[in-house]
Amino acid sequence: MIGVCIPIFTTSVPALKPDGDLFVVIKAFACGVILATGYIHVMPDSFADLTSPCLPQHPWHKFPFTTFIAMISAIFTLMVDSFSLSYFKKKLPMSSSVNNLETTKELELGHGLAIANGHEKNVNAEQLLRYRVVAQVLELGIVVHSVVIGLSMGASENPCTIKPLIAALCFHQLFEGMGLGGCILQADYGVKMKVIMVFFFSVTTPFGIALGIGLSEVYSDTSPTALIVEGVLNAISAGLLNYMALVDLLANEFMGTKLQSRIKLQLLCYIAVFLGAGGMSVMAIWA
């Protein structure tokens, strides 16, 4: 909750506003954490589950299900991204029809600036729409794997496993939350939608832990059913998180005009990405 709320409640600090340099660097660090979470934590967990000796040799040991499911998940995320944008973009011309009529009238009078203003409004509306789709899809991916890791920790009875897992969870949930909070802030949602998204991100891991504790008597993390369910959900999360981190967050930011026009800031952001990804990767030593 602290992580996801930091970007939202620090808008009063000029340096931490969405268009500020420090905000961009912090978001790059959080994106590195999300990327490492997918590659270093979630995907290996899926491999371990779906290649477990507790599962039958056929078909689980005959085909790389983890990477296959992650690939399908990434493609499906692209489809959701693409179709959502296509659907909502169709509504943009309708909402800006008045602006377009005014622009046409002014153009007839020879005011070329009106075209630039009308184009800028459409571009801003499309960018805002993009931010909103990214925020919602990213939250979906984070929520899925948060429930899974919470379930695993809640069902565990080994202190040697639980203690490092708590440290790893606190670290990556904090910075995942900061990355998501940055996306929510850029999406410019109303108070109600912000509260809903913050709430669901904040409660999913505790909910998974409570569910794991409640099911600990009947739940066995080595049972074939549990391994398959966890492995498939982790693979789906890995594909979604990797796609979101690379395409919607990092590529979108680094290919944007702000970083493309400022090499020093771009370099700082790359360093931040490596630090975030490196810090999250080091956590894999313990959990």
Side-chain angles (χ1 to χ4, degrees), residues 10-284:
T10 54
T11 51
S12 57
V13 181
L16 292 174
K17 288 187 175 180
D19 56 349
D21 293 351
L22 183 58
F23 179 87
V24 175
V25 174
I26 292 172
K27 188 180 175 186
F29 180 87
C31 290
V33 171
I34 293 171
L35 186 64
T37 299
Y39 276 112
I40 306 297
H41 292 264
V42 183
M43 191 174 283
D45 285 348
S46 178
F47 271 116
D49 289 337
L50 298 182
T51 58
S52 170
C54 299
L55 293 181
Q57 190 73 15
H58 184 81
W60 300 104
H61 295 267
K62 299 292 184 181
F63 185 79
F65 280 99
T66 292
T67 44
F68 176 75
I69 295 170
M71 177 183 69
I72 297 299
S73 172
I75 296 171
F76 185 76
T77 307
L78 172 63
M79 287 172 59
V80 172
D81 235 352
S82 175
F83 286 136
S84 300
L85 284 172
S86 299
Y87 175 76
F88 288 111
K89 274 182 180 179
K90 288 179 181 178
K91 297 186 176 182
L92 288 179
M94 296 173 62
S95 63
S96 58
S97 57
V98 176
N99 291 333
N100 289 340
L101 284 173
E102 291 175 355
T103 299
T104 305
K105 288 178 182 178
E106 291 190 34
L107 176 61
E108 289 172 355
L109 295 172
H111 296 284
L113 182 61
I115 284 185
N117 289 338
H119 175 69
E120 187 178 348
K121 286 177 183 176
N122 282 337
V123 169
N124 289 340
E126 288 186 15
Q127 186 63 51
L128 181 62
L129 174 61
R130 180 75 179 147
Y131 284 142
R132 290 187 173 183
V133 171
V134 167
Q136 292 184 11
V137 176
L138 179 61
E139 170 131 343
L140 177 64
I142 292 175
V143 161
V144 171
H145 93 84
S146 293
V147 172
V148 174
I149 57 178
L151 183 66
S152 299
M153 192 174 86
S156 176
E157 296 179 353
N158 184 357
C160 296
T161 302
I162 295 171
K163 289 178 181 178
L165 195 55
I166 288 174
L169 278 178
C170 289
F171 180 84
H172 90 71
Q173 291 292 92
L174 175 72
F175 287 104
E176 261 188 3
M178 289 177 67
L180 178 62
C183 291
I184 293 171
L185 183 62
Q186 287 180 317
D188 197 24
Y189 282 117
V191 174
K192 183 180 177 181
M193 191 63 180
K194 285 179 181 176
V195 169
I196 290 171
M197 295 187 75
V198 167
F199 173 78
F200 275 103
F201 171 78
S202 303
V203 302
T204 44
T205 302
F207 170 76
I209 293 170
L211 189 63
I213 293 171
L215 296 174
S216 59
E217 296 299 322
V218 294
Y219 172 86
S220 172
D221 56 4
T222 57
S223 72
T225 303
L227 289 169
I228 292 169
V229 170
E230 282 191 17
V232 169
L233 288 176
N234 275 327
I236 291 171
S237 297
L240 196 154
L241 290 173
N242 293 341
Y243 171 86
M244 293 298 296
L246 287 171
V247 179
D248 281 340
L249 298 176
L250 291 174
N252 188 51
E253 203 72 52
F254 281 96
M255 299 303 171
T257 52
K258 186 180 182 71
L259 291 185
Q260 285 293 305
S261 60
R262 299 176 61 186
I263 300 299
K264 287 184 179 179
L265 180 60
Q266 192 176 148
L267 182 60
L268 277 175
C269 287
Y270 274 120
I271 293 170
V273 171
F274 277 112
L275 287 174
M280 196 62 215
S281 299
V282 169
M283 295 299 294

